[in-house]
Amino acid sequence: MEPMNWGEGDTSYAHNSGIQNAEQNRMKPMIEAAIIDLCTSTSTLFPTNMVIADLGCSSGPNALVLVSAAIEAIRSYCVQFQRQPPEVCIFLNDLPNNDFNMVVKSLSMLRKSNEPIVVASVTPGSFYERLFPTGSLHLVCSSSSLHWLSKAPEVLTRNHIPAYNIDEHARREMLPMIHDAYAQQFKNDFTHFLKLRAKEFLPGGRMVISITGRHSNGIDSKLFHIWEPIGHILSVMALEGVINKAKYDSFYIPMYGPSNEELRGIIQEEGSFSIKEMVVRGLTSDADSALFTPDRYMSQMRAVFEPVILKHFGEVMEEFMRTAERRWSLDGILRDQLDRLVWLSVSLTKASSSN
Ligand SMILES: C[S@@+](CC[C@H](N)C(=O)[O-])C[C@H]1O[C@@H](n2cnc3c(N)ncnc32)[C@H](O)[C@@H]1O
């Protein structure tokens, strides 16, 4: 897995993450409600400290949005109810090769006022591993990150089965098999993620996450992979001989978008967390339509997928963007994708019976 595009340049994630930022803003009420619950919970005394983590923070302005919302919710609760604010410990997590330099430089922004006292640090590592001590966390937030898998499904990579077959007929034929492989990988990864976090939470701990998912349950031949447009553009490049066909067939993006029923089922089956609230929103709902013009949308796709594409194919990004521009409106893929993708946001409470 590769991080998002580094730095602050034109193609950086920092400059091209408006769609994700819009979703972060929509998550704020869930975060505020979780903080109020943590402050008023009858099972624990009013906390003297609070440990909050953002998993998959990336870099740029979005890295601090969720934890800032949590800090602000603590501050306003304490002002309203005249409580001594807890000291807040913030951990910002992402993969070790994330642009943490940029994240560290921005940390001082979390200490805008003296109350609450905030100490912040970064926690490089995969959220598919243990990251925090047992029983230490109050709140975990995560936006636009947990649809990334720990790896592409091995049943495909080992057997050299392309994730996005260049031939449309073959692609449709293989869809059930590819779907099962990706869905199973997501189920394994997300179940593992919940088990790891369950150990790290205090009783009553809260988690607010949002991921990209799909409207429909099961197989949708028009949009199976949530990264369908990327597969499509690369397939055009392979057909035109710009990239090598064999190289194309061995390209896998480790990303899966579940339906809300699928996500709910996995959380319930794993059992460590109960679902307090789940919201499904269309990708474009309440968001500035300027974010979804083909140009803007592609720049945002580039900021997310360039590192993965670059690692596998080498320097093909300029040609990739030219192909995208040429084919977008022609092939209708962008429209199909925007109609079918959703944000799944869910607020979870650690079940008291789990360890
Ligand atoms: C699209 S960015 C989201 C960044 C930010 N949360 C936002 O909403 O804009 C997804 C982030 O998830 C991170 N990520 C993917 N897999 C991860 C893993 N296994 N552990 C930690 N971070 C991961 C990526 O490196 C990337 O920075």
Side-chain angles (χ1 to χ4, degrees):
M1 178 45 217
E2 300 301 305
M4 308 296 96
N5 267 352
W6 275 43
E8 295 176 272
D10 287 350
T11 60
S12 65
Y13 186 72
H15 266 204
N16 295 286
S17 43
I19 295 177
Q20 293 88 342
N21 177 253
E23 175 58 10
Q24 290 184 314
N25 289 332
R26 285 180 295 232
M27 290 168 74
K28 285 179 182 174
M30 270 190 185
I31 292 176
E32 286 154 13
I35 289 291
I36 291 171
D37 279 358
L38 284 164
C39 288
T40 52
S41 161
T42 48
S43 65
T44 49
L45 292 174
F46 188 75
T48 52
N49 69 71
M50 238 188 231
V51 180
I52 299 172
D54 182 324
L55 308 186
C57 64
S58 194
S59 55
N62 291 9
L64 301 184
V65 169
L66 301 183
V67 294
S68 301
I71 293 168
E72 182 48 34
I74 295 169
R75 200 192 60 74
S76 63
Y77 179 90
C78 293
V79 168
Q80 189 180 354
F81 296 100
Q82 299 183 352
R83 307 297 305 241
Q84 177 65 32
E87 295 184 359
V88 182
C89 183
I90 298 288
F91 291 110
L92 293 161
N93 155 264
D94 207 288
L95 292 166
N97 48 358
N98 181 52
D99 189 352
F100 277 114
N101 270 344
M102 197 169 165
V103 178
V104 168
K105 280 185 203 148
S106 63
L107 287 182
S108 60
M109 284 165 60
L110 291 178
R111 300 204 195 105
K112 273 186 281 188
S113 75
N114 289 334
E115 298 225 302
I117 290 172
V118 176
V119 290
S121 59
V122 294
T123 311
S126 169
F127 46 54
Y128 295 122
E129 294 165 3
R130 278 294 300 271
L131 293 168
F132 307 104
T134 301
S136 61
L137 295 172
H138 289 80
L139 173 69
V140 160
C141 315
S142 179
S143 54
S144 310
S145 300
L146 279 156
H147 43 243
W148 284 98
L149 304 170
S150 65
K151 59 180 180 210
E154 261 178 37
V155 64
L156 305 184
T157 52
R158 222 182 318 112
N159 297 309
H160 309 291
I161 300 169
Y164 189 90
N165 206 302
I166 205 162
D167 174 71
E168 194 170 341
H169 178 69
R171 190 159 69 239
R172 277 173 196 272
E173 292 242 295
M174 295 299 286
L175 213 53
M177 194 262 175
I178 311 273
H179 175 265
D180 287 354
Y182 267 89
Q184 190 58 46
Q185 184 67 45
F186 178 77
K187 185 175 182 192
N188 294 349
D189 281 342
F190 201 71
T191 301
H192 183 58
F193 170 83
L194 292 172
K195 285 194 192 313
L196 294 171
R197 299 295 83 80
K199 287 201 167 58
E200 295 169 348
F201 269 108
L202 286 154
R206 300 295 306 267
M207 182 143 69
V208 177
I209 62 176
S210 181
I211 63 174
T212 312
R214 288 171 300 147
H215 265 304
S216 56
N217 221 354
I219 300 165
D220 174 350
S221 61
K222 275 206 152 176
L223 180 98
F224 165 61
H225 295 293
I226 56 174
W227 46 271
E228 195 93 4
I230 307 295
H232 179 71
I233 295 160
L234 288 167
S235 76
V236 172
M237 290 167 72
L239 281 170
E240 291 174 351
V242 179
I243 53 175
N244 178 282
K245 160 93 169 59
K247 196 96 183 131
Y248 172 79
D249 283 343
S250 61
F251 181 61
Y252 301 90
I253 296 187
M255 183 184 265
Y256 178 76
S259 69
N260 65 332
E261 291 96 333
E262 217 175 333
L263 185 63
R264 187 181 288 276
I266 295 170
I267 295 166
Q268 286 170 344
E269 193 180 321
E270 194 280 327
S272 302
F273 294 86
S274 57
I275 299 173
K276 186 110 180 155
E277 188 184 357
M278 191 173 208
V279 178
V280 184
R281 276 181 285 251
L283 194 72
T284 54
S285 64
D286 308 327
D288 180 358
S289 58
L291 292 169
F292 297 96
T293 60
D295 271 6
R296 268 302 267 295
Y297 191 69
M298 261 335 277
S299 300
Q300 297 179 79
M301 291 290 105
R302 179 178 188 166
V304 171
F305 292 106
E306 177 163 355
V308 181
I309 295 173
L310 204 67
K311 187 170 178 205
H312 191 77
F313 294 104
E315 296 285 348
V316 296
M317 245 14 240
E318 296 311 319
E319 192 53 38
F320 177 89
M321 293 302 278
R322 275 195 291 275
T323 310
E325 200 178 321
R326 235 178 342 109
R327 298 302 291 247
W328 265 138
S329 41
L330 213 63
D331 302 348
I333 291 270
L334 177 60
R335 252 189 338 273
D336 282 348
Q337 191 187 47
L338 294 183
D339 287 348
R340 285 173 166 74
L341 288 186
V342 293
W343 290 112
L344 303 176
S345 353
V346 55
S347 176
L348 303 169
T349 306
K350 190 183 166 212
S352 48
S353 56
S354 74
N355 57 11

